[in-house]
């Protein structure tokens, strides 16, 4: 695999978070009305005539922009367009069957440009949607804010910022994976021991951050005011076969179905599954998670694929007589299992225990469009079964 982490857009300080400063990225004048409309969503959503406001937006052909703009500019344009798309679809009682050209064609062009589907993904919701209060300060909960909201408010921002903080803290761990796999090839037990030991500290910090979710994100508010906006239109009864993207010639006017934004699009857990050699038996969630791979930025997909192709950690530790290494490996599996267990607990309290919401927002199906409770538990147990 590549020795240079920049090929994967990963750094120890940011992990999978954007390697550019989203809040400092300036869009061209032709997109300022789009940016302003997206940032005004907390006002226009409450107007009761959201679609009317969005349909009045100018159509901007992004052919030249996608060909010449920096990746940072394209990804920030995707943040604003994807929030407008989600708001248009879920902002009124009845779901539409068609996405107007002023949204459909630009987001389709942007999706093709950054090699991700044309709707809100985890990267636009979390990875590219944060800034630092103090530019010289850390990327943690004491110093970050959410840039683009739907309704705005503490619960929505906290939900996103918890994920931002986890992604940042994971960077130190993720950045060591190529070197630790090389240590296995070199049979360098000392490097492997120190690396796995440091990994345990990172996992503990990530789990501590995750534990803070309830402090400022209430389950009821999350289910009724945060979650409705992030659903997709694949396997969602409210939209049938999907959504027509007006003006996109290659679709031939046929509905398109894409998965909704979900934390399962984060690349942390699949990277660690690949590194630790953890496999999951075939089931609907496994198939669903495999489908989510294309929703990640291409550089992050490559990182996961390369780790999986070079994953020799588990067999190497099994081949050497080292209780210390076995113990450190088991500690990593335990921390991963704890992370999954917390996810399961939040799925129960934030989703499963809440009453059914509006269009497309049920407590039976995840925002990505799959039943989750049964399979989250199964995958947690499968990870725990990999202890040496």
């Amino acid at each position: 695999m590549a020795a240079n982490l920049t090929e994967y857009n990963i750094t120890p300080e940011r992990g999978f978070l954007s390697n550019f400063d989203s809040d400092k990225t300036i869009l061209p004048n032709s997109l300022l009305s789009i940016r302003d409309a997206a940032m005004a969503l907390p006002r226009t959503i409450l107007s009761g005539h959201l679609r009317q406001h969005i349909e009045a937006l100018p159509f901007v052909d992004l052919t030249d922009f996608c060909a010449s703009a920096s990746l940072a500019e394209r990804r920030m344009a995707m943040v604003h367009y994807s929030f407008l798309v989600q708001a248009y679809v879920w902002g009124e009682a009845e779901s539409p069957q068609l996405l107007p050209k002023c949204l459909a064609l630009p987001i389709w062009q942007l999706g093709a440009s950054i090699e991700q589907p044309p709707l809100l993904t985890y990267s636009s919701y979390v990875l590219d949607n944060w800034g630092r209060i103090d530019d010289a300060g850390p990327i943690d909960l004491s110093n970050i804010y959410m840039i683009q909201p739907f309704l705005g408010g503490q619960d929505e921002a906290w939900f996103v910022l918890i994920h931002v903080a986890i992604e940042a803290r994971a960077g130190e761990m993720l950045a060591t994976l190529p070197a630790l796999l090389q240590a296995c090839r070199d049979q360098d037990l000392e490097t492997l021991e120190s690396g796995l030991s440091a990994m345990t500290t990172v996992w503990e910090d990530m789990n501590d951050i995750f534990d803070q979710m309830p402090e400022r994100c209430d389950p009821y508010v999350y289910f009724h005011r945060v979650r409705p906006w992030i659903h997709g239109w694949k396997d969602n009864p409210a939209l049938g076969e999907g959504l027509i993207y007006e003006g996109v010639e290659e679709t031939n006017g046929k509905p398109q179905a894409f998965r909704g934004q979900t934390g399962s699009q984060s690349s942390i857990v699949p990277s660690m599954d690949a590194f630790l050699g953890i496999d999951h038996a075939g089931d609907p969630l496994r198939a669903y998670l495999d489908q989510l791979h294309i929703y990640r930025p291409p550089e992050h997909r490559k990182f996961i694929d390369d780790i999986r192709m070079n994953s020799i950690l588990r067999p190497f530790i099994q081949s050497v007589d080292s209780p210390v290494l076995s113990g450190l490996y088991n500690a990593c599996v335990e921390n991963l299992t704890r992370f999954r267990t917390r996810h399961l607990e939040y799925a129960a309290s934030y989703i499963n225990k809440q009453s059914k919401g509006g269009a497309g927002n049920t407590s039976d199906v995840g925002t990505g469009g799959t039943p989750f409770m049964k399979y989250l538990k199964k995958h947690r147990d499968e990870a725990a079964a990999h202890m040496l």
Side-chain angles (χ1 to χ4, degrees):
M1 63 184 301
N4 191 342
L5 287 173
T6 58
E7 293 189 28
Y8 302 115
N9 279 354
I10 297 173
T11 66
E13 297 77 23
R14 299 188 179 211
F16 290 117
L17 293 174
S18 57
N19 59 5
F20 55 88
D21 290 329
S22 300
D23 57 333
K24 304 293 191 299
T25 301
I26 299 174
L27 296 178
N29 290 338
S30 60
L31 287 175
L32 294 186
S33 63
I34 303 301
R35 181 205 63 190
D36 292 346
M39 294 300 291
L41 282 174
R43 299 192 295 275
T44 52
I45 284 174
L46 296 181
S47 72
H49 299 279
L50 174 64
R51 290 185 189 142
Q52 176 183 325
H53 291 290
I54 292 179
E55 288 165 355
L57 288 173
F59 163 68
V60 185
D61 187 334
L62 296 183
T63 301
D64 292 341
F65 174 79
C66 288
S68 61
S70 67
L71 180 62
E73 291 169 332
R74 285 176 283 141
R75 297 197 73 86
M76 282 311 298
M78 188 64 163
V79 170
H80 297 308
Y81 265 111
S82 62
F83 269 71
L84 287 169
V85 166
Q86 299 293 133
Y88 186 87
V89 173
W90 302 118
E92 296 185 19
E94 294 296 324
S95 301
Q97 299 304 307
L98 179 142
L99 194 62
K101 182 179 178 180
C102 66
L103 294 181
L105 188 52
I107 198 169
W108 194 276
Q109 293 170 321
L110 286 169
S113 173
I114 65 174
E115 299 180 51
Q116 290 179 259
L119 80 169
L120 180 68
T121 63
Y122 181 82
S123 53
S124 291
Y125 195 50
V126 173
L127 302 181
D128 303 337
N129 193 21
W130 61 278
R132 279 183 284 190
I133 298 168
D134 175 3
D135 291 340
I139 306 173
D140 63 27
L141 290 170
S142 72
N143 192 47
I144 51 177
Y145 67 94
M146 181 183 184
I147 297 172
Q148 171 68 66
F150 286 110
L151 288 172
Q154 172 178 274
D155 301 84
E156 180 182 13
W158 192 249
F159 179 74
V160 167
L161 296 177
I162 286 287
H163 287 84
V164 171
I166 289 172
E167 294 283 348
R169 187 64 187 98
E172 178 185 327
M173 174 174 67
L174 296 165
T176 66
L177 299 191
L180 294 182
L181 292 176
Q182 185 61 48
C184 292
R185 289 188 285 270
D186 296 340
Q187 299 188 14
D188 183 351
L189 302 189
E190 183 177 347
T191 295
L192 204 53
E193 287 179 11
S194 62
L196 293 178
S197 179
M199 197 172 285
T200 297
T201 300
V202 175
W203 269 118
E204 290 173 350
D205 290 346
M206 288 167 55
N207 281 312
D208 287 344
I209 295 169
F210 207 12
D211 287 344
Q212 296 178 63
M213 181 69 79
E215 292 180 8
R216 298 184 184 180
C217 183
D218 177 83
Y220 179 90
V221 176
Y222 167 77
F223 188 81
H224 293 280
R225 296 289 181 264
V226 177
R227 187 174 186 260
W229 305 102
I230 61 179
H231 286 276
W233 26 98
K234 183 176 178 63
D235 298 335
N236 193 317
L239 280 169
E241 296 181 0
L243 197 62
I244 295 171
Y245 281 67
E246 184 182 38
V248 179
E249 293 183 1
E250 59 221 76
T251 67
N252 295 315
K254 295 181 179 179
Q256 305 298 302
F258 299 105
R259 299 285 186 187
Q261 190 287 138
T262 165
S264 295
Q265 291 173 9
S266 169
S267 297
I268 297 173
V269 168
S271 294
M272 295 308 299
D273 272 349
F275 175 67
L276 296 170
I278 293 174
D279 296 315
H280 298 287
D283 59 41
L285 182 58
R286 165 67 185 273
Y288 160 73
L289 292 175
D290 289 343
Q291 292 173 23
L292 291 187
H293 201 44
I294 64 168
Y295 289 74
R296 301 183 176 103
E299 299 85 0
H300 301 170
R301 298 199 299 263
K302 179 172 171 50
F303 182 75
I304 295 168
D305 292 341
D306 287 355
I307 292 293
R308 185 177 291 117
M309 287 174 56
N310 292 276
S311 182
I312 57 174
L313 176 71
R314 182 179 171 83
F316 174 74
I317 292 178
Q318 288 175 315
S319 71
V320 298
D321 182 18
S322 174
V324 172
L325 277 179
S326 295
L328 289 170
Y329 174 89
N330 287 342
C332 286
V333 174
E334 285 176 351
N335 277 298
L336 177 58
T337 301
R338 179 187 164 197
F339 194 79
R340 279 193 160 101
T341 299
R342 202 72 180 102
H343 184 199
L344 182 62
E345 291 168 352
Y346 285 149
S349 62
Y350 279 75
I351 301 172
N352 213 44
K353 291 181 180 178
Q354 304 303 314
S355 61
K356 297 188 186 301
N361 189 34
T362 76
S363 60
D364 302 318
V365 176
T367 52
T370 185
F372 56 89
M373 289 297 295
K374 172 183 175 182
Y375 300 110
L376 284 176
K377 183 178 186 301
K378 177 176 176 287
H379 282 221
R380 179 200 64 186
D381 294 343
E382 286 174 345
H386 281 72
M387 302 277 284
L388 296 177

